[in-house]
Amino acid sequence: MTRSLAAWLAGIAGAAALVLLPLALNRYGIYILSLWAVMTIAAIGLNLTLGYAGQISLAQGAFVGIGAYAVAILTTSGFPFVVGLAAALAVSFAVGWLLGYPALRVQHHYLAFVTLAFSTLAYLVFRNEEWLTKGIYGIVGVPRPSVLGIATAKPLPFYYLCLGALAVVSFAVWWLVRSPWGRAFVALRENPVRALSLGVDTRRYTLMAFAIGSALGGVAGAFYAPLVEFVDPTPFTLALSLNLLMMVIVGGAGFFLGPFLGALIAVLLPEWLRFMEGWYLIAYAVFVMVLLVISPTGILGILDRHLTARRTRAASQARAAAKPVLNSEAA
Amino acid sequence: MSNFLNLLIAGLATGAIYAVVAIGFTLLWQTSQTINFAQGEFVMLPAFFMLAAMNLGLPFMLAVLVGIGLSLLVLGLLFKRVLVDPMLRHGVLPLAIATMALSIALKESVKELYSAEAHPFPSVVPAGNVDVLGVPVSMQSLGVLVIAVLAVVALNLLLTRTSVGHQMQATAQNPTVARIVGIPVERMILYTFLINAGLVALGSLLVTPIYLAKFSTGEILGQAAFIAAIVGGFNQVRGAVAGGLLLGVVDNLAAAYVSAQYRAAVPLFLLIVIILFRPQGLLGRVEERTV
Amino acid sequence: MKVLKTTFAALAGLAALTAAHAQSGGTIKLANVAELSGPGATVGTNWKNGIDLAVAEINEKGGILGRKLEVTHADSQSNPGIARAQVQKALDGEPYVLLGPGYSGSVKVTASLAQQAEVPQIMGGEAAELTKAGHTHLFRTSFGQQSSMPKVAAYLADDLKAKSVAVVWVNNDFGKGGRDVITAELQKRNVKVAADISTEAGQADFAADVAKVKASGADAAFIYLNEEESARILKEIKRQNLTLPLIGETTLVGQKVIDLAGEAANGARGHVGLTTDAPVPAIQQFREKFQKRYNYVPDHNGLKGYLAVYVVKAVTEKMGKVDRKAFADTLHGLTISAAQEPGILMDVTYDKNGDIDRQGFLVEVENGRQVVKKVLPKLGN
């Protein structure tokens, strides 16, 4: 009881901080926090695919790209943002569904290889199909939308829009992983054969896990485009996919809060380290390596191990304390 | 026809470079299920060891020896002990991510400590062209091809003809059983890391005169070698060589006959098709254990 | 309500005061945002080193109008999204002038931010479109492709009398931009583009590309790649025994390419705007100073960074005060002569778009050395 209460309080405190903190930040700080929110959405999607359903995807960055291009293309040709967002969601869901098919044939690292190939193919399409994406020149002037009549062109309102999107996505995923679907995903990860024998339609759920995770990548992209107000192919290389994978692993794959922490490290830590000038990326990379050596299951992995150990200790103490009472009752 | 032959031979020469890098990939995977995202940087780094040694006034051949020694120490022993060992038991992903961070650290360190420029590198193979079937082929490329083939032959001899090789193979195929029959599994794994370190140093020596010594060359090389390893078969040394050569040739033919803008896509389509219909790769064997 | 108003006024006054203070006393703050990691790192590092060299020189001689320069460097990771963050951070610090970035995507993202903040931005990008978007605070340090390509096209059409040209370009923003402009310029002069060949950054094997040039039967080839790839394609051209004239830009005929390609570079020709090989004593001195400080020969990006700082010096001394607001207006239409400001190395004139006019060179590589064949005078002279 106290543990869940503490978790709730921490959650509320975190949310309050996210709402209030930017009021004290300059435009740069607000931009970085918005970037964090957007990357967290993409990482939440990947965590669903990887952490809950156990499918390795090296293409999440490509889905962010698909979402960003969907919004950029549609909003710069006059459609409202909502249409772009819907398109980003739909296209990345559909492509994710199709890409999930190989997952049915091959498992484990081979699937990762297929997604790796897809990631690079997507980059080539972004760059080469000039009629659609404006090629290497990119799409300039992606507008920031008006929501309920409020313009989000300024940094702060746009940050709250990103934060709102993150909140909606978080609640949806929170609900999803507790639903029968979420339990089916986990069953799939833990033991696909057993899941099949228990009547889980593994085929459908595998595709579903992949498609939903990819769709969230698309949603992240849909906010990335108006955040930067510019889209070109260069950010959506394999490096972004690997970076998102790193966020999930470093935060703790399969933990609900993992992506939040992982994105915090991937987006904010390099910024904090910039005082080291030329060395900041080296320091960042070393930090990630040290963290993974200490806890290969990520930050929440350590925390979980620590808490489990404490609970076990507390439980055995409780048992020890309870013993005399039992004895006296018996006597 | 002469054009086709020309592209074929040039592609084989480039493919040999990928092959040299890809061999190490497959070795590490076989014995320790390590996916080394820093493999490209492992090839980039020894050249800088050698350049730095030359800057200290050592003659070229001595600098090469220093470079190989440092590679064995840093990219073999230290890599294995410091990064791989603590994570080996925790599955493929954390280690793969750690090697990704390592690739950033290596690139940035070279850039920061040495330079962001591309540096020419002396070639062990003399410059100039020789005539092969009427096509002029650069001696450097031919040298890479020959040495790559020799390396594979030597590696195969080691694995099949020596007692250590047999023990390494047993470790690769089933570490648990290998341990039961008394093979020092840990030492065998260490050997593969040292062999990989030696191979990347050799690769660096061969490749750098063509690619130049630059902090970022590892990105392209690493990705090409990775794809080559998958196409050829991730768990076979000869598969890596076949994959590398195939990739070099396909890339050239794609650029000439399909589309220059999508030349990089053709090997990837090939990769997807191969995985879907022959997931163990062209020359790979089906894996008995899962990850 | 009135109290609130006065508080606001006081706060606003305070803010204005601190801003004015930042402008009047102490050091002059320059903020550089460049590609210090990622694919653009070589370009960005040269640019940064050029800036540092100029700043050190100026400070050694007492600064600008008696005030020392202070420069901060931020890494854009060659990514427009990160570039935007770093430029925002730089602008939040209210610099006198923003330097960089070099990648055109990053320039496009940041130019409007600088304009909103009314901070002059001096950048290294060469893409034609950058100065066409109406940014009033954006300035180049080198020829845009719209100034250099017509000269190359004219050389191909008039001097070489080429009827058809094979265009080989690297498929990134730099190469694609150059390819688009040269293609249009060649068509204007009734020269046929016999082959349009896209290559990848970092490509190692140019066998297929050279075979295509060969098959096209073109009279000449225009090669627009980065230095390292230029060296590789020159070697491949030699291997395949192609003898047609090879025309390029700074990145085909620079000393770095010659060093890397060896004798394969002989015969390559090109138009060069900024080059550390230029037969101008001031540039030779720059090259020596740079090499002494950083232990390598700079490319033209090192020159660009160096010049950017000296543009700041010249404009500020012309105004006689450190005035960010008047900077852009002063620089538009200004001619800075090397006689007045030796650090500018060659006379340069800025137009109303922030584009430059400067002397250029047509060079050819002979026996492993760049030889100037023709000096293309400044248009204004």
Side-chain angles (χ1 to χ4, degrees), chain A residues 1-13:
Chain A
M1 184 62 206
T2 47
R3 217 175 82 84
S4 75
L5 190 71
W8 272 106
L9 283 177
I12 291 166

Side-chain angles (χ1 to χ4, degrees), chain A residues 256-314:
Chain A
F256 181 74
L257 286 177
F260 293 81
L261 288 174
L264 195 72
I265 286 176
V267 177
L268 268 71
L269 184 63
E271 295 300 320
W272 287 328
L273 291 173
R274 274 186 187 267
F275 70 91
M276 304 178 80
E277 297 188 350
W279 297 88
Y280 80 106
L281 284 177
I282 302 171
Y284 164 70
V286 169
F287 175 88
V288 169
M289 282 188 278
V290 169
L291 188 91
L292 284 170
V293 166
I294 294 171
S295 174
T297 44
I299 300 175
L300 289 174
I302 312 185
L303 214 67
D304 193 55
R305 217 166 46 201
H306 182 70
L307 286 177
T308 316
R310 237 179 49 182
R311 244 178 298 154
T312 323
R313 236 188 355 258

Side-chain angles (χ1 to χ4, degrees), chain C residues 40-354:
Chain C
T42 310
V43 171
T45 307
N46 268 291
W47 165 264
K48 170 182 179 279
N49 289 345
I51 290 172
D52 281 340
L53 177 62
V55 167
E57 273 178 24
I58 292 171
N59 282 345
E60 217 165 82
K61 292 180 184 150
I64 301 176
L65 302 176
R67 288 169 61 184
K68 293 273 165 77
L69 291 177
E70 184 191 329
V71 63
T72 56
H73 300 287
D75 172 22
S76 75
Q77 302 175 4
S78 309
N79 176 336
I82 305 290
R84 181 175 171 141
Q86 295 313 312
V87 165
Q88 190 67 72
K89 186 180 182 183
L91 294 175
D92 284 347
E94 306 209 347
Y96 177 47
V97 174
L98 176 68
L99 307 173
Y103 268 32
S104 49
S106 298
V107 173
K108 277 184 262 187
V109 173
T110 57
S112 41
L113 293 179
Q115 176 144 347
Q116 274 163 29
E118 299 190 307
V119 172
Q121 180 177 16
I122 306 178
M123 52 88 181
E126 296 187 357
E129 45 168 356
L130 294 177
T131 48
K132 287 181 186 159
H135 293 298
T136 52
H137 285 64
L138 189 63
F139 298 93
R140 289 189 198 275
T141 44
S142 60
F143 289 126
Q145 285 160 345
Q146 81 285 9
S147 334
S148 56
M149 291 304 161
K151 296 174 190 169
V152 177
Y155 180 75
L156 282 163
D158 305 336
D159 294 29
L160 286 181
K161 312 260 181 251
K163 293 273 170 284
S164 67
V165 171
V167 177
V168 185
W169 47 287
V170 54
N171 203 332
N172 57 22
D173 67 331
F174 159 77
K176 180 71 165 44
R179 175 256 182 202
D180 286 355
V181 180
I182 193 91
T183 303
E185 291 294 330
L186 287 173
Q187 274 161 2
K188 234 187 260 175
R189 291 169 174 79
N190 290 320
V191 179
K192 201 177 119 215
V193 174
D196 181 32
I197 301 164
S198 140
T199 68
E200 298 293 331
Q203 188 174 318
D205 188 347
F206 284 91
D209 313 277
V210 173
K212 272 188 182 168
V213 173
K214 200 175 190 175
S216 74
D219 299 334
F222 174 68
I223 295 170
Y224 202 57
L225 308 174
N226 296 115
E227 277 97 344
E228 291 136 41
E229 288 81 10
S230 289
R232 289 183 198 135
I233 200 171
L234 287 172
K235 283 187 186 170
E236 181 65 26
I237 286 169
K238 185 164 190 289
R239 187 181 74 80
Q240 294 199 23
N241 244 329
L242 246 67
T243 48
L244 78 175
L246 307 170
I247 315 302
E249 247 276 325
T250 318
T251 54
L252 182 69
V253 289
Q255 191 59 43
K256 196 159 144 193
V257 181
I258 300 171
D259 289 346
L260 299 175
E263 59 182 52
N266 287 341
R269 286 172 254 185
H271 167 260
V272 166
L274 278 178
T275 166
T276 53
D277 310 305
V280 176
I283 291 183
Q284 294 305 315
Q285 282 166 22
F286 158 81
R287 181 172 154 162
E288 262 168 48
K289 281 183 286 190
F290 191 103
Q291 200 171 356
K292 207 169 153 202
R293 188 179 163 115
Y294 298 109
N295 213 7
Y296 74 95
V297 178
D299 64 10
H300 58 292
N301 295 297
L303 264 170
K304 286 192 214 170
Y306 184 80
L307 293 176
V309 179
Y310 273 102
V311 168
V312 174
K313 178 165 185 273
V315 171
T316 311
E317 286 175 351
K318 164 101 180 158
M319 293 187 293
K321 57 184 176 178
V322 178
D323 185 347
R324 186 200 297 151
K325 294 257 153 69
F327 191 102
D329 282 342
T330 311
L331 186 49
H332 284 134
L334 183 70
T335 297
I336 307 168
S337 75
Q340 283 170 341
E341 176 48 76
I344 213 74
L345 306 176
M346 285 192 285
D347 294 2
V348 62
T349 302
Y350 276 85
D351 71 5
K352 59 179 183 357
N353 299 322

